[in-house]
């Protein structure tokens, strides 16, 4: 599971059936001016199929929160062919105008957007820009058309567990807790009587992967009490070092809210800052406080799209644009019905909607990693993408993760491969990586 090398155009013009051009956001305050153009002939036709606008000759006015295209009756208003914009007169006006006022307005507008997000600030010590206004902070996944997710009250919870259990480690029934049905087996706690069952489990794993039946075998709880009194809990070493999915207890579990198997679901508690990087990586994120190894940071959220909807967005995108796409492909191959494939799995798009983690940059030697966290073991399509610190991270250190989620390699091996890749002309169109790590692979995506 990795961040996809894909790009989405930031154009947000949507034309609804009433012929009104609606901006999904305050795009007209955008730092990068966008030319919005519609074909005036197709605008008149209610019944015409929605198509990408091409040319606009007329006036734009603000109406009930939308930008509306309107032809002027004033003969003094000259028609402008939008295909030739910006024209020479506009360019010379722009060259003379001060941009300071616009920059302040954009900064203030972004600051206003941030008000809705607890414990997140932004700063820029590099230039006067602010992050794109064409982005809305949300607090959960926003399901796109054709995306289905069972309601939280339909999740299967652990019934054997008693209220207020699990204060130390988890539900305290490592063999029986229903939530741990697919959790990693704890080989250290196998009893002699488990042997035959364990051999069968290993065979099942070949076919069923993460969904192999491990009922009755001792399982690993995901979290442990932290040594730092400021940090409630940290991810267990096994999970931190593996890519095994983490199963947390849910709304329907008997164990109650203080069970230790509830961390990611309680949300971010650390203060984050979105900041402008100085080396062509756009915006990045740091935490104002010290993070300890295994500490939960936040989840990656955004619009959850079908693969077709993602493909449509990708068609419109420019190749060199930043990518915010995350495929939810963790359980491909484990689905007993084989319905889940690269073509049918959902994709999280953080470009237009998301949280502060959508600004986290890539590093080939990262200090964070993204883990699969599920509350509904029967839903293989939607789960949380949760970031944890994989080392102690001092305050104000940029947070990074590996977009390709690669295993660590020896520096010398990486160096040789990087040099070979750099010499290969077929790599010259690839996006270069500016992470600056000693083990940098040279490119963001393969
Ligand atoms: C998920 S976004 C991260 C936030 C982004 N920097 C921004 O300003 O919105 C991913 C994009 O950030 C840029 N990026 C992230 N890490 C980078 C790196 N190590 N080197 C170069 N560009 C990077 C690339 O444009 C990439 O497509």
């Amino acid at each position: 599971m990795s961040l996809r090398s894909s790009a989405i155009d930031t154009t947000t013009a949507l034309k609804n059936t009433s012929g009104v051009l609606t901006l999904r956001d305050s795009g007209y305050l955008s730092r990068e001016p966008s030319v919005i153009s519609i074909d005036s002939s197709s605008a008149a036709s209610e019944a015409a199929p929605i198509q990408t606008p091409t040319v606009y000759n007329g006036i734009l006015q603000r109406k009930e929160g939308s930008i509306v295209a309107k032809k002027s009756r004033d003969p003094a208003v000259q028609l402008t062919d939008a295909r030739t914009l910006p024209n020479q007169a506009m360019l010379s006006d722009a060259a003379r105008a001060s941009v300071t006022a616009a920059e302040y307005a954009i900064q203030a507008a972004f600051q206003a957007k941030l008000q809705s997000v607890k414990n997140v600030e932004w700063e820029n010590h590099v230039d006067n820009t602010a992050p794109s206004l064409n982005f809305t902070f949300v607090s959960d996944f926003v399901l796109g058309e054709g995306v289905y997710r069972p309601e939280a009250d339909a999740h299967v919870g652990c019934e054997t567990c008693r209220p207020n259990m699990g204060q130390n480690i988890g539900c305290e029934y490592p063999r029986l807790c229903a939530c741990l049905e697919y959790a990693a087996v704890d080989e250290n706690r196998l009893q002699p009587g488990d042997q035959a069952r364990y051999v069968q489990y290993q065979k099942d794993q070949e076919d069923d992967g993460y969904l192999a039946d491990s009922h009755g075998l001792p399982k690993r709880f995901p979290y442990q009490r932290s040594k730092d009194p400021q940090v409630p809990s940290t991810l267990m070493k096994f999970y931190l070092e593996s890519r095994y999915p983490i199963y947390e207890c849910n709304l329907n579990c008997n164990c109650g809210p203080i069970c230790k198997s509830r961390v990611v679901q309680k949300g971010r508690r650390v203060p984050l800052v979105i900041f402008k990087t100085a080396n062509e990586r756009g915006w990045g994120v740091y935490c104002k406080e010290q993070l300890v190894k295994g500490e939960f940071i936040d989840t990656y959220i955004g619009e959850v799209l079908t693969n077709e909807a993602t493909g449509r967005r990708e068609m419109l995108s420019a190749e060199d644009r930043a990518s915010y796409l995350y495929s939810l492909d963790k359980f491909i191959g484990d689905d007993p019905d084989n319905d889940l494939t690269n073509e049918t799995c959902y994709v999280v798009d953080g470009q237009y909607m998301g949280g502060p983690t959508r600004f986290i940059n890539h590093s080939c030697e990262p200090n964070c990693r993204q883990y699969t966290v599920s509350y509904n073991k029967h839903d293989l399509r939607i789960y949380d993408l949760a970031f944890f610190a994989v080392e102690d991270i001092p305050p104000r250190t940029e947070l990074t993760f590996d977009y390709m989620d690669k295993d660590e390699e020896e520096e010398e091996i990486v160096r040789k491969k990087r040099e070979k890749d750099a010499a290969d002309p077929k790599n010259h169109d690839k996006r270069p990586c500016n992470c600056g790590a000693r083990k940098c692979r040279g490119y963001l995506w393969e």
Side-chain angles (χ1 to χ4, degrees):
M1 191 168 40
S2 51
L3 198 78
R4 278 167 54 152
S5 143
S6 182
I8 298 174
D9 194 2
T10 51
T11 306
T12 53
L14 295 176
K15 187 164 155 287
N16 66 21
T17 45
S18 66
V20 171
L21 198 64
T22 311
L23 295 188
R24 268 202 273 176
D25 205 335
S26 47
Y28 47 90
L29 266 181
S30 169
R31 202 160 27 92
E32 295 150 25
S34 56
V35 176
I36 305 156
S37 60
I38 63 167
D39 187 331
S40 52
S41 58
S42 65
S45 166
E46 290 267 329
I50 298 174
Q51 50 189 227
T52 310
T54 52
V55 181
Y56 170 60
N57 282 338
I59 286 178
L60 293 179
Q61 66 175 30
R62 198 192 297 236
K63 194 173 172 188
E64 293 168 7
S66 302
I67 302 288
V68 182
K70 192 178 176 223
K71 269 194 172 170
S72 174
R73 296 205 179 115
D74 182 348
V77 174
Q78 307 237 323
L79 288 185
T80 306
D81 183 346
R83 287 170 299 187
T84 61
L85 292 181
N87 59 30
Q88 203 45 51
M90 286 170 157
L91 287 172
S92 44
D93 278 356
R96 283 196 309 272
S98 154
V99 290
T100 318
E103 281 171 347
Y104 285 156
I106 293 166
Q107 289 175 9
F110 187 75
Q111 180 60 36
K113 276 176 178 276
L114 255 192
Q115 296 308 307
S116 62
V117 196
K118 232 176 79 195
N119 240 344
V120 180
E121 296 165 27
W122 77 283
E123 65 184 26
N124 186 349
H125 300 298
V126 175
D127 55 32
N128 289 332
T129 59
S132 170
L133 295 179
N134 198 5
F135 171 76
T136 303
F137 284 100
V138 291
S139 54
D140 202 352
F141 284 143
V142 176
L143 304 191
E145 209 181 312
V147 171
Y148 169 74
R149 181 181 208 182
E151 294 294 331
D153 56 12
H155 296 178
V156 177
C158 49
E159 290 170 3
T160 332
C161 307
R162 292 188 309 277
N164 294 336
M165 273 184 84
Q167 297 171 44
N168 291 325
I169 169 163
C171 281
E172 294 166 20
Y173 277 145
R175 285 172 188 265
L176 299 176
C177 175
C179 294
L180 295 179
E181 187 177 350
Y182 300 132
V185 168
D186 189 348
E187 283 81 4
N188 302 325
R189 293 168 72 178
L190 287 172
Q191 301 292 319
D194 292 327
Q195 208 43 45
R197 180 78 197 80
Y198 183 61
V199 169
Q200 182 59 47
Y201 162 74
Q202 284 180 308
K203 279 200 193 121
D204 291 347
Q205 265 190 320
E206 283 165 26
D207 290 333
D208 305 333
Y210 294 123
L211 302 190
D213 178 6
S214 60
H215 191 76
L217 293 171
K219 257 47 84 47
R220 293 176 188 271
F221 287 109
Y223 306 111
Q224 64 200 349
R225 231 180 247 288
S226 164
K227 288 183 195 107
D228 182 337
Q230 306 292 321
V231 180
S233 59
T234 51
L235 197 56
M236 290 272 198
K237 189 168 181 283
F238 170 84
Y239 288 98
L240 202 61
E241 290 172 1
S242 73
R243 289 168 173 78
Y244 221 93
I246 296 156
Y247 293 93
E248 291 200 357
C249 285
N250 64 51
L251 195 70
N252 292 329
C253 291
N254 272 355
C255 50
I258 55 175
C259 167
K260 280 280 171 291
S261 287
R262 298 175 186 273
V263 172
V264 172
Q265 62 191 264
K266 291 184 178 166
R268 174 173 54 83
R269 43 171 290 287
V270 296
L272 298 181
V273 177
I274 299 163
F275 74 102
K276 185 74 180 266
T277 64
N279 65 342
E280 311 280 315
R281 294 176 301 128
W283 299 87
V285 177
Y286 71 75
C287 179
K288 284 169 82 176
E289 293 171 1
Q290 156 94 17
L291 291 165
V292 299
K293 184 172 176 177
E295 184 170 358
F296 168 60
I297 300 168
D298 202 351
T299 56
Y300 191 93
I301 49 174
E303 294 172 89
V304 185
L305 305 176
T306 59
N307 207 47
E308 295 84 67
T310 310
R312 283 196 293 275
R313 287 191 177 188
E314 284 178 300
M315 294 271 282
L316 293 170
S317 68
E319 280 198 357
D320 57 346
R321 285 277 164 86
S323 174
Y324 302 88
L325 299 175
Y326 228 119
S327 297
L328 294 173
D329 53 10
K330 182 75 179 173
F331 297 104
I332 288 181
D334 299 342
D335 174 19
D337 304 324
N338 278 328
D339 283 344
L340 197 62
T341 63
N342 277 315
E343 284 68 46
T344 59
C345 72
Y346 296 147
V347 177
V348 181
D349 182 2
Q351 168 130 21
Y352 303 113
M353 298 183 195
T357 56
R358 104 24 139 174
F359 294 96
I360 298 184
N361 285 319
H362 159 91
S363 172
C364 301
E365 276 182 83
N367 52 18
C368 302
R369 194 170 190 191
Q370 170 275 312
Y371 296 84
T372 295
V373 177
S374 173
Y375 318 103
N376 180 1
K377 60 188 177 184
H378 298 304
D379 185 0
L380 307 182
R381 287 172 163 266
I382 302 190
Y383 47 82
D384 275 352
L385 302 162
F387 293 104
F388 287 78
V390 292
E391 59 192 34
D392 291 343
I393 307 176
R396 305 182 67 85
T397 306
E398 179 170 2
L399 305 181
T400 55
F401 72 103
D402 183 348
Y403 286 3
M404 297 292 294
D405 201 17
K406 291 260 188 195
D407 287 324
E408 203 175 328
E409 282 182 310
E410 290 294 318
E411 195 175 332
E412 192 51 20
I413 295 173
V414 177
R415 187 186 59 78
K416 280 191 183 141
K417 188 162 183 300
R418 185 175 60 229
E419 285 170 6
K420 189 166 163 246
D421 287 349
D424 186 343
K426 79 173 189 306
N427 291 325
H428 290 172
D429 289 341
K430 284 185 180 171
R431 174 114 200 172
C433 175
N434 293 343
C435 76
R438 280 183 307 141
K439 292 187 185 174
C440 179
R441 300 189 292 264
Y443 300 100
L444 275 194
W445 288 283
E446 285 183 333

